[in-house]
Amino acid sequence: MEPIIATNELKKVYRVGKVDVPALRGVDLIVQEGEFLAVVGPSGCGKSTLLHILGGLTSPTSGHVLVDGNDFMIMNDSDRTRFRRHKIGFVFQRFNLLPTLTARQNINIAQHIQGNGFNPHRFDAVVDMLGIREKMEHKPFAMSGGEQQRVAIARAVICEPKILLADEPTGNLDTENSQIVLNMLRALNRSFRQTILMITHNPEAAAVSDRVVRMRDGRVVSN
């Protein structure tokens, strides 16, 4: 079976003034469909850059990256945008909910953007699994950080993306809410076979995953 994510000698170099700053120095990575993978490492090790490339948010400098059989190196920005809209969900450290919308509206807007219409069965399944049914008519200011993050997760997976990319999803949460969110990600992975790649600096967060990849100085140092 072909992996859902595969990179080979993936490199990213940023130009800062007259200086080249390498963020990735030849990353080889394989992720199987349905896997829950954690990428850990200190700040500045390149893990966020890797996530942004895998999500089609930025282009690599060289190397190869295949996501669900699509070669990002030969796709233009429009192609990557369309692919990202239909295949990838994002969860960030900052919840990025629209403050004037209710939880229900924040979730539904993702379906509107994708353009496939409202799927009530998927909506009910996701909302109930994440335990946020009673928060649907609340706006973000009336919810805890953990509840906001669960709404953000629901928004990310409501359109059934093949891949969920989570960037420090517990970074703004206390210990109790962090564990709740991690348990919900684990449940999504097990119940829906949702492929999840999560980056974190927290070993306790990484422990809920199937496999841990460690990065340092732009390289994978253990897998």
Side-chain angles (χ1 to χ4, degrees):
M1 184 173 64
E2 290 293 320
I4 195 166
I5 295 173
T7 74
N8 178 249
E9 278 298 305
L10 191 64
K11 297 181 181 179
K12 178 67 177 180
V13 179
Y14 292 102
R15 187 74 171 176
V16 181
K18 296 182 179 181
V19 179
D20 287 337
V21 179
L24 298 180
R25 303 170 183 256
V27 171
D28 297 328
L29 181 68
I30 296 291
V31 183
Q32 300 296 338
E33 187 167 0
E35 186 174 15
F36 188 166
L37 176 71
V39 179
V40 302
S43 297
C45 72
K47 58 187 188 294
S48 290
T49 298
L50 175 63
L51 182 137
H52 290 165
I53 290 175
L54 296 179
L57 297 173
T58 189
S59 300
T61 301
S62 63
H64 297 281
V65 52
L66 292 174
V67 181
D68 195 28
N70 293 265
D71 188 346
F72 276 10
M73 292 297 286
I74 63 174
M75 296 170 71
N76 59 34
D77 288 342
S78 296
D79 291 336
R80 283 197 300 271
T81 297
R82 283 191 293 271
F83 178 86
R84 186 168 62 243
R85 185 178 298 162
H86 291 276
K87 299 286 188 178
I88 300 175
F90 293 92
V91 177
F92 297 103
Q93 180 175 344
R94 299 183 183 278
F95 318 126
N96 293 343
L97 299 178
L98 296 173
T100 60
L101 301 184
T102 64
R104 183 185 304 276
Q105 291 167 331
N106 266 285
I107 296 169
N108 287 347
I109 199 170
Q111 293 183 308
H112 174 73
I113 291 171
Q114 192 190 62
N116 287 345
F118 179 68
N119 182 338
H121 301 296
R122 175 72 174 184
F123 182 91
D124 288 342
V126 169
V127 165
D128 288 340
M129 173 173 288
L130 292 172
I132 50 175
R133 169 73 63 183
E134 295 181 356
K135 303 296 179 180
M136 285 299 94
E137 307 313 320
H138 292 200
K139 292 182 179 179
F141 70 85
M143 293 184 284
S144 70
E147 289 164 349
Q148 290 185 63
Q149 189 61 294
R150 281 183 274 164
V151 172
I153 292 170
R155 181 184 57 188
V157 302
I158 195 66
C159 295
E160 303 183 55
K162 298 199 74 171
I163 300 165
L164 179 65
L165 300 178
D167 186 354
E168 299 281 6
T170 62
N172 280 344
L173 303 178
D174 60 25
T175 301
E176 181 180 357
N177 278 302
S178 293
Q179 195 57 53
I180 290 171
V181 166
L182 291 168
N183 289 342
M184 296 301 176
L185 289 173
R186 179 83 261 186
L188 283 168
N189 170 255
R190 287 176 172 169
S191 297
F192 295 145
R193 295 297 298 158
Q194 176 73 64
T195 304
I196 300 175
L197 188 149
M198 175 179 70
I199 68 170
T200 181
H201 66 277
N202 185 347
E204 294 179 359
V208 305
S209 67
D210 298 321
R211 180 165 61 99
V212 177
V213 168
R214 290 178 171 81
M215 291 187 66
R216 184 175 295 275
D217 298 328
R219 297 184 175 92
V220 171
V221 294
S222 70
N223 187 343

